[in-house]
mmCIF file of all heavy atoms in Angstrom:
data_model
loop_
_atom_site.group_PDB
_atom_site.id
_atom_site.type_symbol
_atom_site.label_atom_id
_atom_site.label_comp_id
_atom_site.label_asym_id
_atom_site.label_seq_id
_atom_site.Cartn_x
_atom_site.Cartn_y
_atom_site.Cartn_z
ATOM 1 N N MET T 1 -52.806 -70.685 -5.484
ATOM 2 C CA MET T 1 -53.653 -71.798 -5.017
ATOM 3 C C MET T 1 -53.466 -73.023 -5.953
ATOM 4 O O MET T 1 -53.694 -72.838 -7.188
ATOM 5 C CB MET T 1 -55.195 -71.369 -5.024
ATOM 6 C CG MET T 1 -56.123 -72.463 -4.520
ATOM 7 S SD MET T 1 -57.849 -71.962 -4.625
ATOM 8 C CE MET T 1 -58.110 -71.896 -6.426
ATOM 9 N N VAL T 14 -63.448 -66.059 -22.026
ATOM 10 C CA VAL T 14 -62.366 -65.734 -22.744
ATOM 11 C C VAL T 14 -62.647 -65.823 -24.241
ATOM 12 O O VAL T 14 -63.558 -66.483 -24.617
ATOM 13 C CB VAL T 14 -61.210 -66.806 -22.441
ATOM 14 C CG1 VAL T 14 -61.521 -68.203 -22.905
ATOM 15 C CG2 VAL T 14 -59.865 -66.286 -22.875
ATOM 16 N N VAL T 44 -44.095 -79.169 -32.028
ATOM 17 C CA VAL T 44 -44.756 -80.145 -31.198
ATOM 18 C C VAL T 44 -46.265 -79.824 -30.972
ATOM 19 O O VAL T 44 -47.139 -80.672 -31.141
ATOM 20 C CB VAL T 44 -44.079 -80.367 -29.858
ATOM 21 C CG1 VAL T 44 -44.905 -81.385 -29.039
ATOM 22 C CG2 VAL T 44 -42.701 -80.818 -30.046
ATOM 23 N N LEU T 55 -58.836 -86.833 -33.915
ATOM 24 C CA LEU T 55 -59.668 -87.742 -32.947
ATOM 25 C C LEU T 55 -60.980 -87.153 -32.621
ATOM 26 O O LEU T 55 -61.595 -87.631 -31.624
ATOM 27 C CB LEU T 55 -58.877 -87.992 -31.760
ATOM 28 C CG LEU T 55 -57.617 -88.794 -31.924
ATOM 29 C CD1 LEU T 55 -56.723 -88.705 -30.606
ATOM 30 C CD2 LEU T 55 -57.912 -90.251 -32.188
ATOM 31 N N ARG T 62 -67.265 -90.217 -26.676
ATOM 32 C CA ARG T 62 -67.227 -90.216 -25.188
ATOM 33 C C ARG T 62 -67.815 -89.006 -24.486
ATOM 34 O O ARG T 62 -67.572 -88.829 -23.328
ATOM 35 C CB ARG T 62 -65.684 -90.283 -24.832
ATOM 36 C CG ARG T 62 -65.012 -91.620 -25.275
ATOM 37 C CD ARG T 62 -63.476 -91.541 -25.213
ATOM 38 N NE ARG T 62 -62.856 -92.800 -25.379
ATOM 39 C CZ ARG T 62 -62.551 -93.325 -26.618
ATOM 40 N NH1 ARG T 62 -62.985 -92.722 -27.708
ATOM 41 N NH2 ARG T 62 -62.019 -94.485 -26.726
ATOM 42 N N TRP T 171 -54.595 -101.101 -17.822
ATOM 43 C CA TRP T 171 -55.886 -101.450 -18.253
ATOM 44 C C TRP T 171 -56.259 -100.810 -19.482
ATOM 45 O O TRP T 171 -55.920 -99.619 -19.823
ATOM 46 C CB TRP T 171 -56.992 -101.101 -17.305
ATOM 47 C CG TRP T 171 -58.395 -101.251 -17.643
ATOM 48 C CD1 TRP T 171 -59.082 -102.445 -17.435
ATOM 49 C CD2 TRP T 171 -59.207 -100.370 -18.268
ATOM 50 N NE1 TRP T 171 -60.333 -102.230 -17.928
ATOM 51 C CE2 TRP T 171 -60.425 -100.959 -18.459
ATOM 52 C CE3 TRP T 171 -59.108 -99.014 -18.684
ATOM 53 C CZ2 TRP T 171 -61.575 -100.360 -19.021
ATOM 54 C CZ3 TRP T 171 -60.164 -98.356 -19.271
ATOM 55 C CH2 TRP T 171 -61.363 -99.076 -19.493
ATOM 56 N N ALA T 189 -72.041 -108.958 -4.863
ATOM 57 C CA ALA T 189 -72.834 -110.065 -5.494
ATOM 58 C C ALA T 189 -74.031 -109.450 -6.251
ATOM 59 O O ALA T 189 -74.460 -109.982 -7.274
ATOM 60 C CB ALA T 189 -73.390 -111.015 -4.461
ATOM 61 N N LEU T 191 -73.948 -106.217 -7.465
ATOM 62 C CA LEU T 191 -73.449 -105.330 -8.486
ATOM 63 C C LEU T 191 -72.851 -106.142 -9.608
ATOM 64 O O LEU T 191 -72.844 -105.718 -10.765
ATOM 65 C CB LEU T 191 -72.376 -104.359 -7.940
ATOM 66 C CG LEU T 191 -72.841 -103.228 -6.891
ATOM 67 C CD1 LEU T 191 -71.706 -102.527 -6.334
ATOM 68 C CD2 LEU T 191 -73.767 -102.353 -7.652
ATOM 69 N N VAL T 197 -63.101 -113.052 -9.595
ATOM 70 C CA VAL T 197 -62.007 -113.815 -9.165
ATOM 71 C C VAL T 197 -61.425 -113.090 -7.945
ATOM 72 O O VAL T 197 -61.018 -111.963 -7.994
ATOM 73 C CB VAL T 197 -60.929 -114.074 -10.256
ATOM 74 C CG1 VAL T 197 -59.755 -114.799 -9.701
ATOM 75 C CG2 VAL T 197 -61.558 -114.674 -11.477
#
Side-chain angles (χ1 to χ4, degrees):
M1 180 183 72
V14 69
V44 178
L55 291 169
R62 292 166 171 83
W171 175 87
L191 294 172
V197 177

